[in-house]
Amino acid sequence: MIKQISIPFIFLLFLSSCSSTISTSKKEYILQHSKELKSDWTINSKEWILKNDTLTGKGSLSPWGVLISKKQLPENYEIDLKVNMTNESLFEIMLHLDKGKYIRTYLYQIDQNIVIGDGVYDKKDDSYGKRGGKTLFRKPMQLENNKWYSVKIKVLNNQLHFSVDDKTSLECSLEKSNLNQKGKLGFITNGEVKITDLKIKSI
């Protein structure tokens, strides 16, 4: 005897499979398996791997190690992750990557700051001025190699909130700062970085 499957259930499955965003209001996206990394992200396997629930990125001053989602972020969302910069000085979360522009949210050891900035990204060019960009907002924070930090990013009604360890935070209006209001998610490292507990959900 074949069990009857409800139409709403089938409709939800259809929505989740065809969604153009990296998460939906019905589902929290959690990166746990290497097959998800291959299917959901544009990767260079020499730069990024997922093993034992830990995403490891390796880059250099040129080129950076870059990982970019294939789907866009939701309109309103939260991103939670834990990060450890095991080598070198920069870990950057790219927000709303679209047409070569993105929002820079990053931890920078050289200046000992967390930063929100306006970025550009040319995937075919590693030269100065073709990646990265200007700083808009910064706040001092002691940052070290081989130490885990909890990062939370929230975008709600075009207001960006970026915090590290629930104690150092920055906020800005995307509209007033002339920043992208939609696009993909990405990660950048200029050395080696480890990421765990990556969660993305619509709010």
Side-chain angles (χ1 to χ4, degrees):
M1 183 176 179
I2 300 174
K3 292 185 178 179
Q4 189 173 12
I5 301 175
S6 68
I7 291 175
F9 178 74
I10 294 173
F11 182 65
L12 286 175
L13 285 177
F14 175 78
L15 282 180
S16 64
S17 63
C18 298
S19 172
S20 62
T21 59
I22 199 167
S23 70
T24 72
S25 58
K26 303 293 182 183
K27 180 181 177 183
E28 182 177 70
Y29 179 90
I30 301 174
L31 183 60
Q32 293 178 311
H33 305 291
S34 57
K35 65 180 181 180
E36 293 172 336
L37 185 66
K38 293 176 183 177
S39 64
D40 298 338
W41 302 79
T42 301
I43 63 167
N44 179 335
S45 59
K46 294 180 180 178
E47 294 179 352
W48 290 88
I49 59 169
L50 179 62
K51 186 176 181 181
N52 298 329
D53 297 329
T54 299
L55 181 62
T56 301
K58 294 185 179 181
S60 63
L61 295 178
S62 181
W64 292 344
V66 181
L67 176 68
I68 297 173
S69 66
K70 292 180 180 178
K71 295 182 177 182
Q72 294 200 30
L73 286 160
E75 183 178 356
N76 297 303
Y77 59 87
E78 285 183 353
I79 299 172
D80 287 280
L81 59 89
K82 292 179 182 176
V83 61
N84 187 339
M85 294 178 285
T86 54
N87 186 28
E88 289 301 337
S89 59
L90 174 73
F91 170 64
E92 182 169 319
I93 303 163
M94 309 167 77
L95 302 176
H96 303 177
L97 175 62
D98 183 53
K99 298 177 182 177
K101 287 194 65 180
Y102 68 98
I103 303 169
R104 308 183 75 196
T105 48
Y106 61 101
L107 286 66
Y108 193 38
Q109 285 191 55
I110 292 177
D111 284 349
Q112 292 289 293
N113 285 308
I114 66 168
V115 179
I116 294 176
D118 190 7
V120 294
Y121 173 69
D122 186 339
K123 64 181 180 181
K124 296 180 180 179
D125 194 340
D126 293 326
S127 61
Y128 182 79
K130 297 294 186 178
R131 296 188 178 187
K134 63 183 178 181
T135 294
L136 299 178
F137 308 95
R138 71 177 75 198
K139 185 165 284 188
M141 180 174 180
Q142 185 175 350
L143 297 164
E144 305 170 23
N145 288 119
N146 296 306
K147 182 176 179 179
W148 288 96
Y149 297 95
S150 295
V151 175
K152 181 184 286 289
I153 291 171
K154 180 178 178 180
V155 172
L156 181 62
N157 300 326
N158 283 328
Q159 190 74 16
L160 168 62
H161 179 83
F162 171 40
S163 67
V164 180
D165 287 347
D166 291 324
K167 62 182 181 181
T168 305
S169 63
L170 291 169
E171 286 191 63
C172 75
S173 164
L174 303 186
E175 190 172 10
K176 290 180 181 178
S177 300
N178 196 29
L179 294 170
N180 281 4
Q181 296 179 24
K182 65 177 182 179
K184 298 178 181 179
L185 172 67
F187 300 112
I188 290 173
T189 178
N190 69 352
E192 182 182 82
V193 67
K194 295 184 182 297
I195 300 170
T196 63
D197 299 336
L198 172 64
K199 298 176 184 177
I200 307 160
K201 66 178 180 179
S202 298
I203 54 175

